[in-house]
Every structure is written in C-alpha cells, then in structure tokens.
Amino acid sequence: MKTKTTRLLTKSLAALAASIAAFAVVASMTTNVTAQQPKPVKVAVIVPLSGPWARTGTLIKMGAEMAVDEINQMGGIKALGGAKLQLVSADAGDTAEKAKNAAQRLIAQEPDVVGGTGAWLSTFTLAVTEVTERAQVPWLTLSYADSITDRGFKYVFQTSPTAGVQSTEAMPAILDLAKAATGKAPQTAGIIGDNTASPVSFLKPMREGGLQKLGVKVVMDETYTPPLSDATPLVQKVRSSKPDLLLFITSNVPDLKLSLDKLNEFHLGKGAIPLIGNGAHMGAPEVLKNVSPDLLEGVMFIVADWGLKGQESIIEQFKKRTGEPWITQDSITGYGDMWILKEALERAKVADKVKVAEEIRKMDLKDGPAALAFPGGVRFDEKGRRVGAPLVIVQWQNGVPLSVYPTDRALAKAKWPKS
C-alpha cells in the first residue's frame, strides 16, 4: 500500500514538474515576444471634428492616419527597435475655448505624447499651443496667423508660409497671372474679410499700403464677424465700387456659398469680377455639395500646399484609400507632419518630446516623404517658421480646384476674365 502511494506521489510530482517547466517555457516565449515589441510611440492630432469646421479637421486627420499607417507598415521607428506610431486625437470643437480644453485633456490623459499637429483655424491654434508649449510638446501646424510664431515659443513649428508672407507674395503673383492671361494688371481691388486671426493677418499688409505700392487702388474694405447671416450689404458695396478684383477672405464654406449666391444675384458672379480667397476650405470637395460648379468657376484661393507636380504618388494613394476626389492642403499637411515627427524620432533615438523638438529645430530635409509633402523642403528658422515655404495659388476650373502657381509645378494654367 505504501509502495503504491509512493508511486502515485512520484507520478504527481513528475507531472507538476513538467507543468512548471512548460509554464516556464511559455513565460519565456511571452517575455521574448514582449521584448521584441517595443512600446508604441504616441503622436497627437487636435482638430475640429464637430461644428462648422469639422470637415476640414477630418481631412487633416485622414492625412495623418495615412502617414501613420504607412510608417508602421514600413517598419515603424527603426531607431526605436521598430516601435509603431500610435495616433491619438481630440476634437477642437467650434470655439477657441473648446480647443484649449481639448488640448488640456489630451495632455493630461496622454502624458507620453511626443508631438502633434493641429488645430487648423488660427484662433484655435493660438489657444492650443498655449497648452502644448507649457507641456513642452512639439506642435506642428499649418495655421497661417503670424502671431502663432511671434510669441517666442520654442515648441511650435509652422509649416505654412505665414499669412503675412502669403499676403506679401500673393498679390504680385496674382497680378502676374492676370497680365499673362490678359496683357494687363488689375488697377483696383475690393476687400471683404472676416475678423478671425488668419484673415486679419493675411489682409494686414495689404491694408497697410501693400496694394497701393503695387499700383492697385483699394475701392472698398469691409470686415465682418462670421458666420454671415446676409451677404447683401457686402455685395451692394462691391456693386457700387466695381473693383477689378475682389479679395474675399473668409474662414468657412457657408459664408463663401452665401456670398457667391448673392454676387450671382447681383450679376457679379461667374467670373464677372475675379474673386481671390485664402485657405484650403475653399477647395474642399464638399464645396461642390453646397455651391454649383458654375458659381465656383474661376475662383482662386491662396494656400500653403496643394496637389502639385511631383506629389502624384501621395495624391493617388490618398484618393484610393479615402475615396476623396482630390487631396487638399489639409490632408497633405497632416500627412507631412507625421513624417516630420517620424524623422525627428529617428534622429533623437528616444521617445522624448524635448529631444524630438530639438531634432525638429535642427532638421534640414530636402528629400523623403516629408520634403515631398512640403514644397521647398523642411527647415525651420529661430521662430519656428518653415524656411522658404512657397505659397500656392489654386483655381476652380470645370468643377475641380487645380494648382495654377507656382507655374513650374502647377497642374493647370490660370484663367482670367477678359474685360
């Protein structure tokens, strides 16, 4: 009996030892797998995902998501053992206060974020970057207002030419396009602008003598608070002053639609007066859902980036992935910003936000995905502004917004009504 019991005990101990050994092997395998999978590196996007600017915010996020997926499929951050990027997002909403609150929540909930992009509307970006600067999170933005990088911040990087630069360079370029098409330059201009940060910055140099120096007389100048409820008073002033061109600088599509409808009603639309805008929202695909192509025909707008020669692969990949009819500045910038962060992480060799910011400040990219997304390459000055960032002029032609400037990289030739 004792022998039988001893044998049973021996077998039980042997089975237990085998189980322990098997568990050790599994544990070792799990440990090895874990060791081979570095912790994801978090990057952020804060953009309007609700309210009147939600569509634009969604387009930025689409571009960022495409870049993150691309980077991860190509092996992640190689200097960090192949660590994958993880995109975290927050809704900036429809006010600067909501945008700031979104940034505060994201920073509190995701303290290991190493960098981010957003918040599209300059007024929102000014609020968001107050938060990210204090947290020492490097922040990339396409927002135009000069004030964004006029505050002495060390962690804010503006990939777009500022509104002031765009304003200074835009009118000479527009006058050249007009001369090339008609043989003469416009002599008078009307101005309509809303009072958000970017339109104010864009129009400031023109209002302070810039147009006069170019030989263009300002015959009307109106500022309004968006959203417009009635464009009639503004359009009546256009009709009475009869400018050779109209600078209509608005920050949202509904105001554009309302004004184009009213201009058409007063027989000033459909290219009767060349209309020049500013901002990528004027070329967003959904504009065609609100405004008929014939009202948009000939409308030009100034942006920091758009589909250009040399970006065909990015454009085609984006269209295939999203089903969008074309890529806007918003998407190509969101895409490029993620590649900038990826390059900074490779150079920093550590997922540390301060070191990532240092590498962004030092970088000078002339090729690769980030440089391809941003014409002129990627290098920032002491203020955090991208050096040599060129403006791009886009024009609605036959229901499609096509780049017409810089002329050597444009996808179409500018059209101008002949008087």
Side-chain angles (χ1 to χ4, degrees):
M1 213 39 204
K2 188 182 287 187
T3 302
K4 187 175 181 180
T5 301
T6 301
R7 285 175 183 165
L8 287 171
L9 181 59
T10 301
K11 286 181 180 179
S12 297
L13 289 172
L16 178 60
S19 296
I20 291 171
F23 178 78
V25 170
V26 171
S28 175
M29 289 172 62
T30 302
T31 301
N32 288 337
V33 169
T34 303
Q36 292 167 8
Q37 294 176 339
K39 182 181 176 182
V41 179
K42 292 181 181 178
V43 289
V45 58
I46 302 176
V47 286
L49 298 172
S50 61
W53 295 284
R55 170 64 170 155
T56 309
T58 300
L59 287 170
I60 294 172
K61 190 179 175 190
M62 281 181 181
E65 288 171 340
M66 184 172 96
V68 167
D69 286 350
E70 233 179 56
I71 291 163
N72 289 342
Q73 288 165 12
M74 293 171 68
I77 310 301
K78 295 177 176 60
L80 300 179
K84 306 297 186 186
L85 284 185
Q86 180 182 338
L87 187 67
V88 294
S89 63
D91 180 10
D94 57 1
T95 67
E97 174 116 11
K98 288 180 183 177
K100 183 176 183 178
N101 290 340
Q104 289 171 334
R105 284 194 303 273
L106 187 142
I107 296 298
Q109 294 167 6
E110 308 286 356
D112 49 353
V113 160
V114 300
T117 184
W120 190 71
L121 196 69
S122 290
T123 305
F124 294 0
T125 303
L126 285 164
V128 165
T129 50
E130 291 283 348
V131 177
T132 57
E133 181 73 11
R134 284 195 298 271
Q136 296 182 304
V137 174
W139 202 257
L140 296 154
T141 183
L142 65 80
S143 296
Y144 296 167
D146 295 63
S147 50
I148 291 168
T149 42
D150 267 340
R151 297 171 292 175
F153 285 6
K154 297 184 189 244
Y155 295 88
V156 179
F157 303 91
Q158 208 164 13
T159 56
S160 63
T162 66
V165 169
Q166 290 184 40
S167 177
T168 302
E169 295 182 0
M171 282 310 299
I174 288 165
L175 295 178
D176 285 345
L177 291 176
K179 278 192 239 179
T182 68
K184 63 179 182 178
Q187 301 297 305
T188 62
I191 296 174
I192 298 174
D194 77 29
N195 60 4
T196 60
S198 181
V200 170
S201 290
F202 179 82
L203 289 169
K204 188 172 184 288
M206 297 190 190
R207 285 172 163 153
E208 293 180 349
L211 286 171
Q212 186 177 357
K213 287 177 184 176
L214 293 169
V216 180
K217 181 181 179 183
V218 178
V219 293
M220 65 161 289
D221 187 352
E222 297 292 324
T223 301
Y224 74 93
T225 300
L228 266 176
S229 57
D230 182 9
T232 303
L234 295 173
V235 173
Q236 283 176 332
K237 291 182 179 180
V238 175
R239 183 173 65 173
S240 62
S241 60
K242 297 178 181 176
D244 292 338
L245 67 83
L246 177 64
L247 291 161
F248 182 66
I249 314 300
T250 179
S251 59
N252 65 80
V253 172
D255 288 358
L256 173 65
K257 171 181 167 36
L258 196 63
S259 299
L260 288 175
D261 283 340
K262 191 59 65 174
L263 284 164
N264 186 53
E265 182 184 321
F266 280 70
H267 305 290
L268 300 171
K270 300 180 180 178
I273 294 179
L275 189 148
I276 317 295
N278 180 232
H281 61 289
M282 295 188 71
E286 75 275 9
V287 170
L288 287 176
K289 297 177 182 177
N290 298 290
V291 186
S292 64
D294 63 323
L295 290 182
L296 287 166
E297 186 67 19
V299 171
M300 293 186 185
F301 55 96
I302 296 134
V303 288
D305 204 352
W306 204 259
L308 296 165
K309 290 177 183 175
Q311 297 174 338
E312 289 85 355
S313 61
I314 298 174
I315 295 168
E316 288 310 309
Q317 184 182 346
F318 179 79
K319 286 163 63 176
K320 183 177 179 181
R321 174 190 172 96
T322 65
E324 295 288 335
W326 55 78
I327 196 167
T328 69
Q329 168 191 264
D330 309 296
S331 299
I332 204 166
T333 301
Y335 174 87
D337 285 351
M338 292 298 111
W339 276 100
I340 289 174
L341 291 172
K342 192 263 190 193
E343 183 62 31
L345 282 161
E346 296 285 10
R347 296 174 180 215
K349 297 181 173 56
V350 62
D352 179 278
K353 59 191 179 183
V354 174
K355 292 192 183 316
V356 166
E358 288 174 0
E359 292 303 327
I360 294 174
R361 280 192 287 272
K362 291 191 294 186
M363 70 174 45
D364 184 4
L365 305 179
K366 292 184 174 63
D367 51 35
L372 187 61
F374 294 112
V378 180
R379 180 166 67 92
F380 296 96
D381 66 15
E382 67 282 354
K383 284 188 172 184
R385 295 174 179 174
R386 187 162 68 91
V387 176
L391 65 84
V392 177
I393 300 175
V394 180
Q395 185 176 45
W396 280 95
Q397 297 183 5
N398 302 315
V400 180
L402 298 171
S403 55
V404 295
Y405 184 90
T407 54
D408 61 333
R409 296 188 64 189
L411 297 178
K413 189 175 181 179
K415 297 177 182 179
W416 198 275
K418 295 184 179 179
S419 55

